[in-house]
Amino acid sequence: MKDLIKSTTFLAILACWLWSTAFVGVKIGLSYHTPLQFAGIRFFIAGVLIFLYFGRPRRYFAQLKANLRFILQLSLVQTVIQYSLFYSGLNLVPGSLAAMIIGSQPLFIALVAHFTFHNDKMTPLKTGSILIGVAGIAVITIGRSQVEMQGALEWIGIGLLLINNVVAGTTNVMVAKYSKGISPAVLSSTSLMIGGFVLSLISVPIEGIHLGPFPPKYWYALAWLSFLSAAAFTIWNTILKRPGVKVSLLNVWKFLIPVSGAALSWILIADEKPDLPSLIGMAIIAISLLSLNYANRKAQKEKPVVK
């Protein structure tokens, strides 16, 4: 049982499930707060939670000092740039189209990994499994709401979300390639705290300062989002650092996020019910993940034995 819980597959599914629960919390939070400021506060609190969980201040700050340059770079790219692009693009693009573009993120991450790692190239089988997953996302998205383009600004929004996908690939590669010698918990905590603080500062001249008062459900949403960010980022950074884990194959598990999100909506939201396009899209994504597992097993068999 311990081996199962510690396995890369289980941890990847757990992280994706946590991220899939963010939709409702973000929806509640943004009904009372501005996007960049809310995200900055959420990530800063998440970083503090990991720091408290880590519980060894001397070791924490020693690793921070030894890896300060890399941590600052990751904070800037992963939290500040990526989420600024994400929220800015989201405000310009219809929700259904944004969901489809964001859902294609594993494809962009695989392409970034292809040009970065010599042992993580795009193969026909890997490419096929990723494209099948993207098709599943498209079926779910288009089936639930019609995609309509309404203005020139939406093309800018599409561009921002596509760049966001490339940046997401870059941050995954950064963690996998350059984070040796630093604990995943310290890396997640410091990058979230620094990034969240900078994001909050950036939000002030753009969005102003919003101090409330906020209703209890806002605080519940903020608490859950902070916890899930702390847990999911730490888990993801942990498995990205594992020897033999390929960035492209790992990120295909992110196709589970919209599937889990839809299922949670059916359970938690009264007027949400299963529909045929969603079920078909989920079946297509299941085929994608089965193809992923086959590709992963094949890659392991083809790995040369070191004597």
Side-chain angles (χ1 to χ4, degrees):
M1 187 66 179
K2 284 185 178 180
D3 291 339
L4 173 64
I5 294 173
K6 292 179 179 179
S7 70
T8 298
T9 297
F10 177 83
L11 291 175
I13 292 172
L14 177 60
C16 290
W17 177 79
L18 285 167
W19 274 318
S20 75
T21 67
F23 174 76
V24 175
V26 169
K27 194 172 181 180
I28 293 170
L30 293 184
S31 64
Y32 299 101
H33 214 149
T34 53
L36 295 179
Q37 202 161 114
F38 182 65
I41 294 169
R42 163 193 173 185
F43 292 133
F44 183 82
I45 295 173
V48 172
L49 289 176
I50 301 171
F51 170 73
L52 295 173
Y53 171 78
F54 191 73
R56 286 161 285 180
R58 285 188 179 181
R59 184 179 170 189
Y60 182 96
F61 287 110
Q63 290 191 24
L64 171 59
K65 184 178 178 181
N67 299 275
L68 183 59
R69 184 176 178 180
F70 174 70
I71 287 169
L72 289 174
Q73 289 173 343
L74 186 65
S75 303
L76 176 66
V77 177
Q78 185 178 60
T79 308
V80 179
I81 295 177
Q82 186 178 339
Y83 278 90
S84 295
L85 289 166
F86 174 78
Y87 281 112
S88 299
L90 209 59
N91 285 335
L92 297 174
V93 174
S96 55
L97 182 58
M100 195 156 55
I101 296 170
I102 295 162
S104 67
Q105 194 174 99
L107 175 61
F108 287 83
I109 294 173
L111 289 171
V112 173
H114 173 82
F115 291 106
T116 306
F117 297 108
H118 71 278
N119 63 341
D120 198 359
K121 300 297 184 184
M122 295 289 285
T123 63
L125 186 57
K126 188 191 297 184
T127 303
S129 66
I130 292 172
L131 290 176
I132 291 169
V134 172
I137 298 291
V139 170
I140 292 174
T141 304
I142 296 172
R144 302 190 84 183
S145 56
Q146 189 176 355
V147 177
E148 294 181 359
M149 296 294 290
Q150 296 178 349
L153 281 177
E154 292 180 357
W155 290 105
I156 297 175
I158 290 171
L160 292 174
L161 290 176
L162 290 174
I163 297 170
N164 167 74
N165 285 351
V166 175
V167 173
T170 303
T171 60
N172 275 257
V173 166
M174 287 173 70
V175 173
K177 195 172 184 180
Y178 301 113
S179 63
K180 292 179 181 178
I182 180 169
S183 162
V186 174
L187 181 63
S188 301
S189 175
T190 51
S191 61
L192 285 169
M193 252 196 288
I194 295 170
F197 179 72
V198 174
L199 207 55
S200 297
L201 288 179
I202 292 171
S203 74
V204 174
I206 298 172
E207 302 172 341
I209 299 175
H210 300 268
L211 301 176
F214 301 116
K217 63 180 179 179
Y218 167 87
W219 296 109
Y220 297 147
L222 180 61
W224 175 250
L225 288 169
S226 300
F227 166 75
L228 80 86
S229 294
F233 276 106
T234 302
I235 291 169
W236 201 256
N237 286 341
T238 298
I239 52 184
L240 274 173
K241 285 167 61 69
R242 285 183 172 178
V245 171
K246 294 185 177 181
V247 172
S248 61
L249 290 175
L250 177 63
N251 276 274
V252 177
W253 288 107
K254 287 185 177 179
F255 286 134
L256 284 174
I257 294 174
V259 172
S260 179
L264 286 170
S265 296
W266 297 335
I267 295 169
L268 299 175
I269 301 175
D271 57 350
E272 287 275 347
K273 295 180 181 179
D275 54 79
L276 185 59
S278 294
L279 295 174
I280 293 172
M282 289 178 178
I284 294 171
I285 290 172
I287 294 170
S288 169
L289 294 175
L290 289 171
S291 301
L292 158 72
N293 283 325
Y294 177 75
N296 201 17
R297 287 198 304 270
K298 189 176 180 182
Q300 291 294 327
K301 289 179 181 178
E302 292 174 353
K303 189 183 294 183
V305 178
V306 180
K307 295 182 179 180

